[in-house]
Amino acid sequence: MDIRNSDKKPILYVIIPCYNEEQVLPISSKLFLEKINSLVSSGKVGDDSRIMFVNDGSKDATWNLIKEYAKEDEHFTGISLSRNRGHQNAVLAGLMEAMDYCDITISIDCDGQDDINAMDEMIEKYYQGYEVVYEVRSNREKDTFFKRFSAESYYRMLDKIGGVEIVYNHADYRLISKKVLKEFANFHEVNLFLRGLIPLVGFPSTSVFYERHERIAGESHYPLSKMLTLAFDGITSLSIKPIRLIICFGSLVTFMSFIGIIWAVIGFFNGSTVAGWASIICLICFFGGANILALGIIGEYVGKSYIEIKARPRYIISERTYEKKVSVEKE
Ligand code: UDP
Ligand code: MG
């Protein structure tokens, strides 16, 4: 039965991935706790709601801090991954873990960049019948010009090439109901790009608009190299269009070479075959490059299939601040 039609309050789990965040956690954990307390006291969510930190193999005191918080206040819980698996996997681990305990989840970064006050409106939207609520940045003025420009061009490209309706300027701050999570649990892919995958699950969804803030403390763990990897994974895990483009390009080149052959044969009979050295060199260079590029793109997909086939666990939970529930309720 849908909890929205009963007297019970939905249980909210706020999923927060943390990687080396010892500088940020002492500040942001207080803000999260205040928020959950205010949501509980205003009757929007049940008192069994929790803040669930996911320690993504941090090398600093992050996990110790999380364990301390869990001792101090029952609203704090945490799981720790056996090693650093990256932001997307950490969020996934939290979502899958929380699924058995809650009615709704909200995933949010721990650095204070996402506006915590968006949660009220997200939950409001949930009550209105939406199963997924995306938080969208109303402006990117706080980002550098490069980040803003690259992100916006990327969203546009994903839209064209990715074959899915991607939500512009949405990161990984979103509400997902248990209903959607249960279906999402059947998506077993290792190459994770949550922003592209969640819309694929379907169900009614909407967006809320909030400003993005500066990091409270510490530094970003998303250097350009990680950003590019995520961007590339986004395209190749959602779409095989790049391979199709290679096929189109290959067909065009084959057609052009056919014309070239006719041209060469005519040239041969006209006795002018020595000329054209430069054009041959140009063609060899160009097609040498194009071949390697095409092979690289295909190789990327072969490599991804190889990783998918092995179906290794996407994360391993090594510790929890609580005893894991043994029986999983069935609806
Ligand atoms: N994060 C993580 N694992 C990683 C890198 C980052 O769990 O390998 C977490 C990090 O603690 C933060 C969130 O993911 O809560 C977003 O990371 P960050 O703020 O460094 O990225 P940015 O906001 O600069 O893109
Ligand atoms: Mg951040």
Side-chain angles (χ1 to χ4, degrees), residues 17-19 21 56 84 86-87 90 109-111 113 147 212 215 219-222 226:
C18 308
Y19 176 57
E21 299 284 12
D56 185 17
N84 180 243
H87 171 244
D109 289 352
C110 76
D111 56 9
Q113 285 195 279
K147 190 147 185 171
R212 183 143 165 105
R215 220 174 205 281
E219 278 179 7
S220 168
H221 302 101
Y222 263 96
K226 267 199 196 172

Side-chain angles (χ1 to χ4, degrees), residues 10-14 36 40 45-51 74-76:
I11 297 173
L12 165 70
Y13 266 57
V14 180
I36 208 123
V40 171
V45 300
D47 191 42
D48 289 335
S49 297
R50 296 283 179 270
I51 295 156
E74 58 169 4
H75 289 106
F76 285 121

